[in-house]
């Protein structure tokens, strides 16, 4: 399929951060001249997104299966075995089954997407992901007409995941999207960062990225994807139902019961990391607001 973002990267391309940034600047120049086609191009052209460093992105993580501290995933996720890896796609699909990660990759076109990531804890980053549209993976299995939601599940392998010894949540980590959210072209499965394979602490070998929702919706190390006609349970809603609901769209006007969501701290500024205003739908309002037309975003937060 056409690449609507920048260059097409193969999964084995390695892009050093410096070369990557240079290419980005070139692309920004090109965008100013002729404009980039497609949805990602519009978002990119609106303002230049400066990606966080490889260190920021891979050393400051939430991946509770490896511990609840921000540096625990980087310290512990090397224990995770990601080969072989299969994703079970089941439920309301024509061809349910176990899909080998390599076979999925062969069928997909890998693109770059530079997205904001806004954690519900009010910090944020900008991440240059590599990946493919979730819609393309779902179409491999053939979504049936009655399907309305997509449920996701993370691997649960306690011997490789020291954090799962503690019942912080009811493991495995599960998440869900409405089918139209899942099929939206901004929704991707990420398999890389900065042109390299995605590190374990970021959700290897493949993780969901839904850039207009709080980070916890972007479930890591996915082993199962189930098409269903019922709203699926989600881990943080099950754990703290008054604080986290199904949609979890980034919204500066709806505070968390225990803190404001009006601003965020951008990681990487060191001691002087400044707070910046949080944007409606994390800056993707133009692209995704139509999905929620007529919906009460305060009630369905
Ligand atoms: N399986 C799983 N997925 C997860 C989490 C987790 O603890 N377990 N944390 C979520 C949260 S709260 C955030 S903010 C993002 C963080 O992604 P990153 O570490 O790649 O920045 O992953 C999300 N996906
Ligand atoms: Mo988060």
């Amino acid at each position: 399929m056409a690449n609507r973002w920048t260059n097409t990267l193969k999964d084995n391309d390695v892009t050093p951060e410096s070369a990557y940034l240079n290419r980005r600047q070139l692309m920004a120049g090109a965008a100013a001249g002729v404009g980039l086609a497609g949805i990602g191009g519009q978002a990119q052209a609106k303002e230049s997104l400066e990606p966080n460093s490889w260190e920021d992105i891979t050393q400051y993580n939430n991946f509770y299966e490896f511990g609840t501290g921000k540096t625990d995933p980087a310290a512990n996720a090397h224990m995770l075995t990601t080969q072989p890896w299969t994703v079970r796609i089941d439920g309301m699909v024509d061809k349910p089954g176990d899909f080998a990660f390599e076979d999925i990759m062969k069928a997909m076109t890998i693109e770059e997407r530079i997205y904001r990531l806004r954690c519900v804890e009010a910090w944020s980053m900008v991440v240059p992901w590599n990946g493919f549209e979730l819609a393309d993976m779902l179409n491999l299995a053939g979504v049936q007409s009655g399907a309305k939601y997509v449920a996701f599940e993370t691997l649960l392998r306690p011997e490789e995941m020291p954090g799962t010894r503690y019942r912080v949540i009811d493991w495995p980590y599960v998440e869900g999207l409405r089918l139209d959210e899942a099929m939206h072209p901004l929704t991707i499965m990420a398999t890389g960062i900065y042109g390299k394979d995605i590190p374990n602490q970021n959700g290897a070998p493949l993780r969901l990225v839904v850039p207009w929702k709080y980070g916890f919706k972007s479930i890591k190390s996915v082993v199962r994807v189930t098409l269903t006609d019922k709203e699926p349970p989600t881990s943080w809603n099950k754990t703290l139902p008054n604080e986290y609901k199904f949609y979890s769209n980034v919204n500066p006007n709806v505070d968390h019961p225990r803190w404001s969501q009006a601003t965020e701290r951008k990681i990487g500024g060191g001691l002087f990391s400044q707070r910046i205003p949080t944007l409606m739908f994390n800056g993707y309002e133009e692209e995704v607001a139509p999905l929620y037309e007529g919906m009460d975003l305060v009630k369905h937060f």
Side-chain angles (χ1 to χ4, degrees):
M1 61 171 276
N3 182 349
R4 65 167 56 80
W5 191 242
T6 53
N7 300 352
T8 298
L9 277 182
K10 303 289 183 307
D11 53 318
N12 57 354
D13 277 349
V14 173
T15 311
E17 206 178 313
S18 56
Y20 179 88
L21 291 169
N22 287 336
R23 195 178 62 222
R24 256 194 71 252
Q25 282 154 13
L26 286 175
M27 289 311 296
V34 294
L36 290 172
I39 211 159
Q42 286 162 17
Q44 170 89 332
K46 248 186 294 184
E47 62 182 286
S48 73
L49 287 182
E50 198 56 59
N52 279 83
S53 68
W54 173 263
E55 283 68 31
D56 290 341
I57 297 166
T58 62
Q59 306 298 313
Y60 188 96
N61 300 96
N62 276 334
F63 199 166
Y64 278 16
E65 286 86 337
F66 297 97
T68 54
K70 294 292 181 257
T71 55
D72 289 342
N76 295 327
H78 63 89
M79 292 184 236
L80 176 66
T81 314
T82 58
Q83 275 176 324
W85 194 275
T86 57
V87 181
R88 174 161 297 177
I89 307 181
D90 63 2
M92 302 174 79
V93 291
D94 295 333
K95 290 167 278 180
D98 293 327
F99 293 75
F101 175 69
E102 290 72 23
D103 294 337
I104 295 172
M105 288 298 274
K106 267 181 228 149
M108 297 292 117
T109 304
I110 302 297
E111 316 175 40
E112 294 177 334
R113 299 284 182 98
I114 304 168
Y115 282 164
R116 291 188 197 79
L117 172 76
R118 171 56 157 85
C119 177
V120 76
E121 299 161 336
W123 54 265
S124 68
M125 296 194 197
V126 175
V127 184
W129 304 108
N130 312 102
F132 50 82
E133 291 183 13
L134 173 61
D136 292 337
M137 186 175 87
L138 297 181
N139 289 335
L140 278 184
V143 177
Q144 295 181 343
S145 59
K148 293 189 175 71
Y149 295 90
V150 187
F152 302 85
E153 195 176 303
T154 295
L155 176 78
L156 175 56
R157 196 181 284 151
E159 63 276 22
E160 295 182 4
M161 296 173 146
T164 61
R165 277 181 238 138
Y166 310 94
R167 283 231 4 214
V168 197
I169 63 160
D170 186 16
W171 311 106
Y173 195 103
V174 292
E175 257 306 333
L177 294 173
R178 218 170 56 190
L179 185 63
D180 58 344
E181 299 175 323
M183 290 298 199
H184 193 280
L186 284 178
T187 303
I188 61 167
M189 296 302 293
T191 57
I193 293 171
Y194 273 118
K196 301 180 181 130
D197 286 347
I198 192 168
N200 287 358
Q201 60 265 37
N202 294 91
L206 82 171
R207 59 87 63 86
L208 181 69
V209 178
V210 195
W212 71 93
K213 293 178 178 281
Y214 289 117
F216 65 83
K217 297 292 289 183
S218 292
I219 182 174
K220 294 179 169 179
S221 303
V222 170
V223 290
R224 188 172 181 187
V225 177
T226 306
L227 281 289
T228 163
D229 58 1
K230 288 175 194 68
E231 187 181 286
T234 59
S235 283
W236 283 107
N237 177 255
K238 285 196 291 179
T239 308
L240 292 163
N242 298 321
E243 300 191 8
Y244 307 107
K245 297 229 185 289
F246 180 77
Y247 283 93
S248 301
N249 293 313
V250 174
N251 189 337
N253 310 312
V254 178
D255 287 338
H256 187 280
R258 292 182 279 132
W259 59 83
S260 165
Q261 294 291 25
T263 64
E264 62 201 53
R265 178 174 62 93
K266 192 179 171 195
I267 299 301
L271 272 179
F272 306 102
S273 72
Q274 82 275 40
R275 294 197 78 86
I276 54 175
T278 289
L279 302 172
M280 188 66 198
F281 293 113
N282 204 24
Y284 303 96
E285 182 171 18
E286 214 173 288
E287 292 90 340
V288 303
L291 297 175
Y292 308 103
E293 235 163 47
M295 209 172 107
D296 182 343
L297 296 175
V298 176
K299 196 170 154 213
H300 299 281
F301 65 84

